[in-house]
Structures are given as C-alpha cells and as structure tokens.
Amino acid sequence: MSAYASAGTLQPFSSDGCSRFPDGTWQQQDVWKSCCVAHDLSYWRGGTADERDHADAQLQQCLAQQGYPAIGWVMLLGVKVGGLPYWPSDFRWGYGWPFLRGFKALSAQEQQQIDAMLLQQGTLIGNMQ
C-alpha cells in the first residue's frame, strides 16, 4: 500500500491482510484474514470519523463471529491508535488518498472514483479474502 499519492488521486486498493498482526493462528494461518481485508477496504476509501468507528466495530464483530472475541479487542485497540489518518503509514485511515486527508466525508466525485476502481479491481479484491 502506498502512503503517498498525488493530490486528489485515488490509488488502487491493496491489502496486506492484518498489517502488522497475524492473519490467523498457528493452526489456521488465514482464519481472520478476510475480516482484515474488509477492514482494509474501509480504511482505503476513508471518510468521516464516524465511518472509521463503524469500520473498526465491524472488524471487532467479525473476529468475534470467527470465535476470537479477545483478538477482536486487541485489534480494535491497535487500529484505534495505529490507524489514525495523521500517521504517514500504509495502513492509516484513508490510505487510498493523498496523505493528510484526515477525516473528511467523501464527495460524489470521490465516491465515483471508488466505485470505478472497485469495479475495475473486482477480481483482485475477491482473491485477497
């Protein structure tokens, strides 16, 4: 994932799974990776602080549904700190957009860019999960 992009340009969606956290257990190494890829999709597109809170809650809920509620709490704490849009990281909130976008509602034009990118990348995203 690229932490930097040219002004106003949405970078293609990419996911490294659970970023700096395991994608699963020793026995099932990708057991909760799909939860992380879905979370990455939300973080890639960015948006408001409320949308981020919703994405983080969905990550925690997904892990609980997989049978790992304690891991969900640990991940929630990690993304609350490590996923702030003000970190120059490749897993920050809104990482598909230029750095320092912050918490900002998506415009209709930006949503169109997102929709077009996802349509173009549809097969790739399905293979990441």
Side-chain angles (χ1 to χ4, degrees), residues 44-103:
W44 166 76
R45 71 183 294 280
T48 66
D50 286 342
E51 289 172 310
R52 179 180 180 234
D53 289 343
H54 180 73
D56 293 345
Q58 285 184 312
L59 174 65
Q60 182 184 15
Q61 181 180 26
C62 184
L63 282 149
Q65 290 172 345
Q66 296 283 341
Y68 301 95
I71 297 293
W73 280 106
V74 171
M75 280 194 180
L76 179 64
L77 294 173
V79 298
K80 286 296 182 191
V81 174
L84 287 169
Y86 311 110
W87 297 118
S89 69
D90 57 356
F91 50 81
R92 64 177 161 75
W93 178 251
Y95 70 82
W97 300 103
F99 181 54
L100 291 179
R101 175 186 170 84
F103 295 110

Side-chain angles (χ1 to χ4, degrees), residues 1 3 7 11 17 27 30 39 42 44 80 89 100 104 108 111 129:
M1 294 177 253
Q11 297 299 302
Q27 296 81 18
D30 289 337
H39 187 253
S42 294
W44 166 76
K80 286 296 182 191
S89 69
L100 291 179
K104 181 179 168 187
Q111 187 59 56
Q129 295 186 10

Side-chain angles (χ1 to χ4, degrees), residues 18-32:
C18 298
S19 296
R20 304 223 174 13
F21 198 86
D23 292 336
T25 66
W26 286 104
Q27 296 81 18
Q28 295 177 291
Q29 295 186 1
D30 289 337
V31 70
W32 55 70

